[in-house]
Amino acid sequence: MMKKRTLATCCAVHTLHDGLSDVTYVLLPLLAQGFGLSLAQVGLIRGAHRAAMAAFQIPAGLAGERFGARNLLALGTLVAGVAFFALGQAAGFWAILAALFCAGVGSAVQHPLGSTIISHAYPAEGRRAALGAYNFAGDLGKFAFGAMVSALLIAGISWQAPVVGFGVLAVVTAGAVLLLVPRSPKPARGPARMPTGWGIRDCRGFAVLCLVEILDSSTRTGFLTFIAFLLIAEGLSPGWAAAAVPLVFIGGMAGKLSCGFLAERLGIVRMIVVTELATACGILAALALPATAAFLLLPLLGVVLQGTSSVLYATVGEFVESDRLPRGFGLFYTIGSVCGIAAPLGYGLLGDRFGVDIAIATMGATILLTIPLALVLRPAGVRRRASRFPGSPKA
């Protein structure tokens, strides 16, 4: 019962924070129109929010070890809630920038600490399935918050009302975290038991896992950024092309949930190979097919494009000591966040020089590099897992 309550609470927190993060895509045009912002100012606002999330994930993991993952998760949720409440009262560019930067700082705690709490609740069997459900909850928030704001705007309600409401909801959720999530395990005492450094048990295995995450995250964010441009170049109307990313997310929700469960049965190596190979085939098919057929393919592609992340996140605990998980997840998520910032820029420069089709084709080819890397994980992590948890699924 405690496991399920912890998982449900962390999933709710993930829904909230990812909803707060991605609802900014809906809000930015409204903010630009309402306050006369330039495109550069809009880019700076979004960049400040993402940069804050990327920069504070490792410090959040380190602080979580000292003050408790549960306590810091509640504090970060409170900070994000207050920031959104302030955003609803903002009177100009600098107030908006400060509010969304603080919201990014507050949301930075969620991924490393939420993943840590779930990993502690599920130390062996069920971890991948639990983190798959956690991943699914994040995408659910991205849809729900954006759809809610859009519906309210259509009904004639100003954007400030839902933004303030989200802030109040976050404050209430912070209190729920303290009430529903058990206290984090206390750090081990004494020099004999205290792990040094990052607590990484298998440096090679963790490094390989990070390389897979770099390639996977770069491909995912690059494809999501430029798929609409490809469809428009192939003749699809801009209105329909704008729905491309939501279609990918629809498949992604199913993928994040199902891939976590399947990894429990098939193992991490098989799942990474299958999903990344299918991702490469899907991207190249989207490039080769007519625009309408490629558009209809996107939900299926989203299943594997997004689903691999559930397998990767759940594997971090295989290589990091239990009481160093917050910093391990902080490092891992920061790597993904940096790729999410750098990859669209790199692929954008490539597309400007050679065309968007070449950029998309490069993504499809690059993701295949994850397959030989995944095979390296077999000797690094799986034998150790099998010795710790007899009867656990093979790689």
Side-chain angles (χ1 to χ4, degrees), residues 184-218:
S184 306
K186 293 183 178 180
R189 301 296 180 185
R193 295 180 60 195
M194 181 69 74
T196 58
W198 290 86
I200 297 174
R201 288 187 291 244
D202 186 336
C203 291
R204 186 182 103 169
F206 187 76
V208 171
L209 189 69
C210 288
L211 287 174
V212 175
E213 166 66 4
I214 288 170
L215 294 169
D216 183 74
S217 181
S218 297

Side-chain angles (χ1 to χ4, degrees), residues 288-347:
L289 290 170
T292 302
F295 181 81
L296 296 175
L297 175 68
L298 292 179
L300 290 177
L301 176 55
V303 172
V304 288
L305 181 72
Q306 301 277 85
T308 311
S309 62
S310 290
V311 184
L312 299 179
Y313 298 159
T315 308
V316 173
E318 302 294 321
F319 300 109
V320 181
E321 296 288 349
S322 177
D323 59 353
R324 286 296 188 262
L325 272 177
R327 66 177 65 187
F329 275 117
L331 175 61
F332 193 77
Y333 280 116
T334 297
I335 289 171
S337 296
V338 170
C339 291
I341 296 171
L345 175 60
Y347 282 122

